[in-house]
Amino acid sequence: MICACIGAAFAAVAAAAPSASLGEDVDAFGRMPTLRHVSVSPSGNRVAALYRDGGAEEYSFIVFEYGDQFQMRYAGKQNEQFRVSEPHWMRDDRIVFSVRFGAMRHRTDTVETRLMSLDVETGEIIPLFDAEQRQGVAETRGSIAAPVQIQDRIVSLTRQDPDSLLVQYWNGDVYGKINHVYEVDVDRTKRHKRVHKGRDDIYDWKADELGEIRSGWGLEGGKEPRLRMLDSRGKWQDRSRRVAEDAPTFSVLGFPRAPGKAFVASAHETETAALYLYDVDSDRFEEQLFHSPVSDVYGVYQQRGTGEALGVIYAEDESLIHWFGQNFVRDAIDVMERTFPGRAVTLTDLNAEQTHAVFLVDGTNEAGSYYIFDIANRQVTALPTQYPTLEGRAMGAVVRVDYEARDGLSIPAYLTLPPGLSLTDAKDLPFVVMPHGGPTARSFAQFDWRTQFLASRGYGVLQMNFRGSSGYGEAFRKAGDRQWGQAMQDDITDGAEWLVAQGYADGDRLAIMGGSYGGYASLMGVVKTPDLYQCSVAYGAVTDLHALLRDTQRYRGGEYMTRHIGTLWSDRAMHRENSPMLRADAIKVPVLLVHGEDDRVVDVNQSRGMASALKRSGTPHRYVELPAGSHYVDVGDNRMVFLREVGSFLSECLGGPEERADSGAAADPRG
């Protein structure tokens, strides 16, 4: 085992920074996880990752060699503005990665990405797009070059050529915003060779395991879905009827080696989306390969080079795999599961030569660690644990429950209980109801730093997958269409009332808390049911639906992406009725608002406006703006600031451990 020496060497990478006096719970759960984006080089001798120790202000992008001796090959720190993501090994001496940052184009906030290449031997980093490549008709006709906005939409990096990859981007077409596919050299900054001509109605191209472009999805006029697929003769066929708004679920997951075939998820004959082998030539489903009655399929494990389907990913309370026979990936997972019995084993990376894999091993009440697995030698190497200060600490049990909504729909949910309690022991607890974000997403039974923090403070937590959540089939998801603040909100209310009826929760000590859509639901909860909750916590929350639609529809495809919320003008009365900012006078309990200053998903003005509305209505509230904060509470020490504010607020609202400290965050004077 070399975990200790790796951990000691890692600790020297990031400059130490003194920790504020935050209290044991905040300090333990508020630290960012130690590692992210762990991947192994083709030879298996080198590992790349984002690493952050307990005292560092930000992650460092590191590359190290491991084995009998440890050697750091590269270490560079990101900052609060420029965020490194998705490093990909091309060769043992070359890594391609993306840098993300916020910017503005045409007076509109944007997220920009730059595709970079690292020479591991020398530490030199070069951009993979040259200065002549620019995006936008207006910019190309002007005197100032505007670089391609999104440079990291990689279509294929599993090609046999380790010196290049395929990237799709728009490069200033005069007659439209067309995504072509280009071959990008990973060793130098140069002009790119176009290898696939795009179309103005196709936004995203998919390639097979050898890098051949086989399908494309997009929108006609920004509204009507389009799907084009390559048949066995090399001709493109229009299969848009398969993805029409009123058609059953149909999505392309991958391609076998055989031309004119595809692996697709479809719900044309089942309630949940099943996996099929689909024939493009005849527009026919050849064979149903797998179906779960309780879960949509999420993806397919395929053999690199051949495209053979090894297994299919689906979910119950956690992610699961159905295997199509024995194979080396299944063998590796079996070894890891025997090594770590009773814990969740998740494959997160497999190197290009398929000799080494990275696994995350965790549990519902265990933060876990990453492990490198040498497949041939059956050797497991541990990396530093994700939350060192949680080692040996008792966590809350996570229990699957189901309750019935008022119209009879069964709602799956998870209870997280204070450490040491079982469901039979849970009586009259203070509870936090926590709807998830999205809303087209879902909660799983897994380690969650927010719920375990709350459990450590003595609160129970209820997370429900209300109608509109993904993964439970088409009917369940569509039941949430145009139901923001309505049927989806009723499901959340019914869950809170169920807690009290079951005796788990004290009806006089209920709070509601969430982020993004969950933050919206937390505010609507105290608008629609002012006597149910004692307080509300909303972070990164949507508060004005009309403003959300107006702002989102400024972006390409925005009207289509917000269709489940409603239309901008014909539904404006519904949106006024279901916008917390416009209903602030109905809120009678204290509210904590938290928002990242540089949130590029939900504009910070949504919370600033809500704070102003609460002030006008005389509602007790506090508004905290996280400096340089993103939508994901992952910049600097923002997570600690957030938990400290939540812990203090809930202590006042529901009772609990007494602890207050100056957060150092920017509290809006309007609050």
Side-chain angles (χ1 to χ4, degrees), residues 343 359-362 366-371 382-386 391:
R343 298 160 76 183
F359 289 95
L360 176 63
V361 179
D362 61 1
E366 180 182 353
S369 300
Y370 282 99
Y371 294 84
L383 299 182
T385 183
Q386 288 293 80
E391 287 288 284

Side-chain angles (χ1 to χ4, degrees), residues 5 58 68 78 96 102 134 164 175 191 210 304 315 321 343 363 380 385 445 457 524 573 600 633 656:
C5 71
E58 280 296 346
D68 294 335
Q78 68 175 19
V96 170
R134 56 186 74 178
S164 66
Y175 297 107
R191 298 284 289 176
L210 296 179
R304 288 182 182 161
I321 304 171
R343 298 160 76 183
V380 179
T385 183
R457 309 273 296 175
M524 282 304 296
R600 296 295 168 126
V633 199

Side-chain angles (χ1 to χ4, degrees), residues 332 335-336 355-359 371-375 378-380:
V335 170
M336 292 295 291
T355 60
H356 290 73
V358 178
F359 289 95
Y371 294 84
I372 302 168
F373 181 55
D374 182 332
I375 295 174
R378 294 291 196 268
Q379 182 177 355
V380 179

Side-chain angles (χ1 to χ4, degrees), residues 78-93:
Q78 68 175 19
N79 59 42
E80 63 185 24
Q81 180 181 4
F82 296 97
R83 320 290 289 177
V84 175
S85 65
E86 302 299 331
H88 300 286
W89 286 97
M90 301 301 298
R91 305 185 303 265
D92 265 38
D93 66 341

Side-chain angles (χ1 to χ4, degrees), residues 168-230:
Q168 62 179 2
Y169 60 88
W170 167 43
N171 195 19
D173 296 90
V174 175
Y175 297 107
K177 300 178 180 180
I178 300 177
N179 278 323
H180 305 293
V181 181
Y182 298 85
E183 184 177 76
V184 176
D185 191 308
V186 301
D187 290 296
R188 59 187 58 85
T189 305
K190 59 180 290 188
R191 298 284 289 176
H192 305 150
K193 175 185 176 183
R194 190 175 75 180
V195 296
H196 181 77
K197 184 178 180 181
R199 296 175 51 99
D200 60 3
D201 61 349
I202 298 298
Y203 296 1
D204 292 293
W205 297 101
K206 284 185 180 291
D208 62 18
E209 290 292 311
L210 296 179
E212 182 178 15
I213 309 300
R214 300 269 294 264
S215 75
W217 179 93
L219 297 169
E220 177 67 38
K223 298 179 181 179
E224 299 297 328
R226 294 289 179 261
L227 176 65
R228 300 187 182 276
M229 303 183 73
L230 192 68

Side-chain angles (χ1 to χ4, degrees), residues 449-633:
W449 58 274
R450 303 164 305 163
T451 60
Q452 291 294 344
F453 166 76
L454 293 171
S456 76
R457 309 273 296 175
Y459 307 121
V461 183
L462 172 67
Q463 297 172 284
M464 72 288 292
N465 288 319
F466 44 80
R467 72 191 69 204
S469 300
S470 60
Y472 294 99
E474 186 171 24
F476 193 89
R477 182 192 59 76
K478 285 188 173 181
D481 284 359
R482 303 161 72 91
Q483 292 298 315
W484 283 51
Q486 300 171 80
M488 288 195 293
Q489 193 69 43
D490 292 341
D491 290 347
I492 298 166
T493 300
D494 294 343
E497 293 177 341
W498 174 84
L499 280 174
V500 177
Q502 295 295 311
Y504 301 138
D506 179 347
D508 293 326
R509 292 191 294 168
L510 272 181
I512 184 168
M513 167 178 161
S516 198
Y517 174 84
Y520 163 85
S522 296
L523 293 170
M524 282 304 296
V526 292
V527 167
K528 295 191 68 174
T529 51
D531 299 324
L532 180 60
Y533 304 104
Q534 278 64 63
C535 56
S536 172
V537 178
Y539 55 98
V542 175
T543 68
D544 184 338
L545 295 183
H546 187 81
L548 174 69
L549 292 179
R550 184 190 63 228
D551 293 344
T552 303
Q553 291 179 15
R554 297 167 65 187
Y555 298 91
R556 191 183 189 198
E559 185 173 352
Y560 178 80
M561 300 306 293
T562 56
R563 68 196 186 283
H564 300 309
I565 304 174
T567 58
L568 185 61
W569 294 108
S570 61
D571 291 323
R572 60 187 181 276
M574 177 180 72
H575 293 153
R576 281 196 298 267
E577 179 68 17
N578 293 289
S579 290
M581 188 189 299
L582 307 180
R583 301 284 308 278
D585 57 353
I587 301 175
K588 307 303 181 186
V589 298
V591 174
L592 172 64
L593 296 172
V594 182
H595 212 116
E597 179 186 34
D598 195 31
D599 189 332
R600 296 295 168 126
V601 179
V602 176
D603 193 284
V604 67
N605 287 316
Q606 292 269 342
S607 283
R608 290 174 178 171
M610 188 71 205
S612 295
L614 291 170
K615 184 176 182 179
R616 288 193 299 270
S617 69
T619 305
H621 68 284
R622 175 169 169 78
Y623 175 46
V624 178
E625 200 161 286
L626 301 174
S630 75
H631 190 63
Y632 308 103
V633 199

Side-chain angles (χ1 to χ4, degrees), residues 288-470:
Q288 184 187 106
L289 302 176
F290 174 78
H291 172 243
S292 165
V294 298
S295 170
D296 294 327
V297 298
Y298 291 97
V300 181
Y301 276 121
Q302 292 183 252
Q303 174 70 52
R304 288 182 182 161
T306 70
E308 176 190 359
L310 303 180
V312 56
I313 305 167
Y314 68 108
E316 290 182 5
D317 295 326
E318 58 188 29
S319 180
L320 300 171
I321 304 171
H322 171 80
W323 296 105
F324 301 124
Q326 207 64 35
N327 57 74
F328 75 101
V329 180
R330 182 177 184 177
D331 291 343
I333 293 177
D334 287 346
V335 170
M336 292 295 291
E337 288 179 339
R338 290 195 298 270
T339 304
F340 302 99
R343 298 160 76 183
V345 172
T346 304
L347 175 65
T348 61
D349 181 67
L350 181 66
N351 71 339
E353 298 299 322
Q354 303 182 137
T355 60
H356 290 73
V358 178
F359 289 95
L360 176 63
V361 179
D362 61 1
T364 56
N365 57 1
E366 180 182 353
S369 300
Y370 282 99
Y371 294 84
I372 302 168
F373 181 55
D374 182 332
I375 295 174
N377 297 315
R378 294 291 196 268
Q379 182 177 355
V380 179
T381 301
L383 299 182
T385 183
Q386 288 293 80
Y387 289 83
T389 53
L390 293 180
E391 287 288 284
R393 181 170 176 145
M395 297 286 173
V398 179
V399 183
R400 163 67 185 267
V401 296
D402 296 88
Y403 64 87
E404 191 173 282
R406 62 192 64 184
D407 62 356
L409 184 65
S410 180
I411 305 297
Y414 303 99
L415 292 180
T416 301
L417 302 172
L421 289 186
S422 67
L423 198 56
T424 56
D425 302 323
K427 302 295 182 185
D428 295 324
L429 295 174
F431 247 91
V432 178
V433 175
M434 187 182 291
H436 62 70
T440 308
R442 61 159 292 183
S443 294
F444 291 90
Q446 61 186 10
F447 176 81
D448 185 321
W449 58 274
R450 303 164 305 163
T451 60
Q452 291 294 344
F453 166 76
L454 293 171
S456 76
R457 309 273 296 175
Y459 307 121
V461 183
L462 172 67
Q463 297 172 284
M464 72 288 292
N465 288 319
F466 44 80
R467 72 191 69 204
S469 300
S470 60

